[in-house]
Amino acid sequence: MRRLFIKTYGCQMNVYDSARMAEVLAPLGYAVAAAAEDADLVILNTCHIREHAAEKVFSELGRLRKLKLRRGGDMVIAVAGCVAQAEGQEIMARAPHVDIVLGPQTYHRLPEMVARASRAGGRVLDTEFPAEPKFDYLPSPTAHGPAAFLSVQEGCDKFCTFCVVPYTRGGEYSRPAGAILDEAAALIGQGVRELTLLGQNVNAYHGRGADGAVWGLGRLIRELADRFDGLQAIRYTTSHPGDVDDELIAAHREVPRLMPFLHLPVQSGSDRILAAMNRRHTADDYRRLVDRLRAARPDLALSSDFILGFPGETDRDYQATLALIDDIGFAQAYSFKYSPRPGTPAAGMEGQVPEQVKEERLAGLQRLVAGQAMAFNRACVGRRFPVLLDRPGRHPGQLLGRSPYMQSVFVDAPAELLGSMQVLRVTRANANSLAAVLDGGAS
Ligand code: 5AD
Ligand code: SF4
């Protein structure tokens, strides 16, 4: 028996990829270890989106180097994910104790990479975008609890000027619908009740359907709901406003098990900045789109990403972003100071905004969004809704789940309810969560 430790950074796609890597390696006798200290094979599954991402990986690699020395060199170290894709050569050159560097598209080849690396001196760099999609080579998935992720799409063709994703994850690729339905069936057969469909730009999904036609995300969601009675909640993330089509809006209207929450990043409320970001939509396009979505599903809760201090952003642009937030009313949002990514067009743009201005704008925006989130949470007090209790809470006797609107909800409940869907009544709103009581039995 050998031991494997995977440290995952970044987005949910990486969480999904890490689970799949563990599954690919299981037939070689690798069981998951709790810490790098106990592992024969350590994989860092990296994320390139945040600032200094590569430096963080190198400092983690410094720590692993000491562990490897302590074990007399008897440890295979692999770097996977988006930093590996972007900085593969650099990692090979700067970190000789790293045995394997692999990109997000080649982890189905991990068994042979590990075999090569286990032979003396056999270092491997594989950051190809292979013609054969990795999904065709992955084993059937193992469920780890009642909620699961399912990657349906990867990569992005949008080329927003601040973003590294089109370079690290490559061009847009949609999995055939049949493979997705098979994976869903396997997960649901193991007790999964909630699926989150994943993709860098998930609503660009356009996979070959079982009937030979091209299915969009709306159709895929509808088919999942139709085929699987055991599937009680469907979510998807992350979306681009330009790829929300009529079929997807109709799914929000007509598929009750599609949860009323949508993470739909807008990034800015200024048309000038949106154009410089190459977002391909205006602030009013976004307002109109949200109107249409809310007409279809009036209780739809919205979330977004915002970038503050994009090159050339003036105070007026910033005010336009605040005005958009005022108009929409978000249930939650993520916000980031712009930081240049080498190789992206915005990194070389004129008008880089001073750090202090970015910080002030970020703080102002976060105050506004926190107020909206608190108001949204308060409006939920007294409401009843079904919640899949998928995790133990922080305190003994507590279980945790997600509301239909994606808020964390905690409830005092016996441990045997873990994994079940229960109707809860919300009793208290916090800044980032709801407190609830059991109210009405299983749903
Ligand atoms: N600087 C700041 N934020 C960024 N994001 C992506 N690239 C950058 C960058 N260079 C943010 C965007 C995106 C989220 C995942 O990360 O808001 O939607
Ligand atoms: Fe990056 Fe999203 Fe823009 Fe694609 S749509 S380039 S993933 S921010």
Side-chain angles (χ1 to χ4, degrees):
M1 169 87 94
R2 283 172 285 182
R3 302 220 153 250
L4 160 71
F5 179 73
I6 307 183
K7 182 162 180 177
T8 307
Y9 301 81
C11 67
Q12 288 152 331
M13 302 226 33
N14 268 14
V15 175
Y16 175 89
D17 288 344
S18 291
R20 306 313 312 266
M21 285 193 255
E23 286 163 10
V24 169
L25 290 165
L28 273 68
Y30 280 99
V32 173
E37 283 76 357
D38 310 325
D40 307 291
L41 168 59
V42 177
I43 302 177
L44 301 183
N45 192 11
T46 62
C47 166
H48 203 253
I49 228 135
R50 296 289 150 246
E51 204 171 5
H52 308 309
E55 287 320 306
K56 284 180 198 145
V57 171
F58 280 113
S59 62
E60 184 65 28
L61 285 174
R63 280 191 286 278
L64 288 178
R65 183 170 163 267
K66 288 187 196 121
L67 276 185
K68 185 167 178 164
L69 283 173
R70 227 180 289 152
R71 292 174 58 124
D74 184 21
M75 174 191 262
V76 174
I77 300 178
V79 184
C82 292
V83 175
Q85 187 68 42
E87 315 263 353
Q89 301 282 3
E90 173 92 2
I91 296 169
M92 290 302 266
R94 267 177 68 183
H97 57 294
V98 169
D99 303 283
I100 301 171
V101 174
L102 72 156
Q105 306 310 337
T106 54
Y107 60 76
H108 56 296
R109 299 174 178 166
L110 257 173
E112 62 189 79
M113 294 185 209
V114 171
R116 264 167 67 194
S118 305
R119 291 194 290 273
R123 299 179 82 208
V124 183
L125 169 68
D126 189 348
T127 49
E128 255 191 75
F129 288 101
E132 86 280 4
K134 66 181 175 230
F135 295 107
D136 296 353
Y137 294 82
L138 298 175
S140 189
T142 306
H144 303 276
F149 294 133
L150 204 175
S151 270
V152 304
Q153 178 283 338
E154 263 193 86
C156 183
D157 292 336
K158 288 278 185 293
F159 289 94
C160 298
T161 54
F162 52 80
C163 184
V164 287
V165 164
Y167 311 97
T168 56
R169 288 270 172 172
E172 211 285 310
Y173 168 75
S174 293
R175 296 178 68 186
I180 295 167
L181 294 173
D182 288 349
E183 192 168 323
L187 289 166
I188 293 160
Q190 295 171 69
V192 165
R193 319 280 288 277
E194 172 174 318
L195 274 182
T196 302
L197 308 180
L198 295 181
Q200 260 89 35
N201 186 7
V202 71
N203 61 332
Y205 179 77
H206 61 285
R208 184 69 49 198
D211 54 1
V214 172
W215 291 7
L217 186 64
R219 174 80 188 270
L220 183 65
I221 288 168
R222 206 181 280 275
E223 297 278 345
L224 283 165
D226 283 352
R227 282 171 200 227
F228 302 111
D229 288 340
L231 182 58
Q232 303 202 343
I234 303 171
R235 304 179 190 269
Y236 61 94
T237 198
T238 283
S239 297
H240 188 287
D243 290 319
V244 177
D245 62 10
D246 292 345
E247 207 181 16
L248 185 57
I249 295 177
H252 277 284
R253 183 187 305 114
E254 291 156 20
V255 181
R257 282 176 287 159
L258 176 57
M259 291 294 102
F261 173 84
L262 179 53
H263 182 63
L264 191 64
V266 63
Q267 313 293 356
S268 169
S270 154
D271 290 346
R272 232 171 48 78
I273 296 299
L274 288 168
M277 288 174 164
N278 190 32
R279 290 289 292 177
R280 309 166 196 219
H281 61 79
T282 64
D284 277 349
D285 291 339
Y286 189 85
R287 288 182 176 90
R288 279 196 295 270
L289 179 58
V290 168
D291 286 346
R292 287 170 60 214
L293 283 158
R294 283 181 167 155
R297 179 84 205 220
D299 65 336
L300 188 74
L302 282 154
S303 158
S304 177
D305 293 339
F306 293 96
I307 296 179
L308 283 307
F310 186 82
E313 187 188 72
T314 62
D315 203 49
R316 216 165 138 192
D317 297 317
Y318 172 58
Q319 295 303 330
T321 300
L322 299 183
L324 179 70
I325 296 172
D326 256 335
D327 289 347
I328 302 289
F330 287 98
Q332 60 162 72
Y334 302 93
S335 44
F336 312 96
K337 290 183 286 180
Y338 172 71
S339 79
R341 295 286 170 281
T344 58
M349 283 182 189
E350 286 180 9
Q352 300 287 329
V353 173
E355 208 48 33
Q356 200 199 329
V357 175
K358 286 185 196 168
E359 252 153 46
E360 284 163 14
R361 289 181 186 164
L362 182 74
L365 182 144
Q366 288 184 339
R367 267 196 305 278
L368 180 60
V369 168
Q372 292 190 343
M374 193 70 222
F376 181 74
N377 289 350
R378 284 211 182 100
C380 291
V381 174
R383 290 194 55 189
R384 298 169 77 240
F385 36 63
V387 172
L388 181 63
L389 299 172
D390 66 334
R391 279 161 296 163
R394 207 178 313 151
H395 303 294
Q398 244 181 24
L399 296 177
L400 204 66
R402 294 273 185 188
S403 80
Y405 310 104
M406 210 51 194
Q407 299 130 303
S408 290
V409 190
F410 55 91
V411 60
D412 285 336
E416 59 266 26
L417 294 187
L418 185 65
S420 71
M421 194 97 165
Q422 298 290 325
V423 175
L424 305 186
R425 182 166 47 82
V426 179
T427 51
R428 200 178 71 240
N430 302 318
N432 296 308
S433 64
L434 301 174
V437 291
L438 293 170
D439 191 66
S443 136

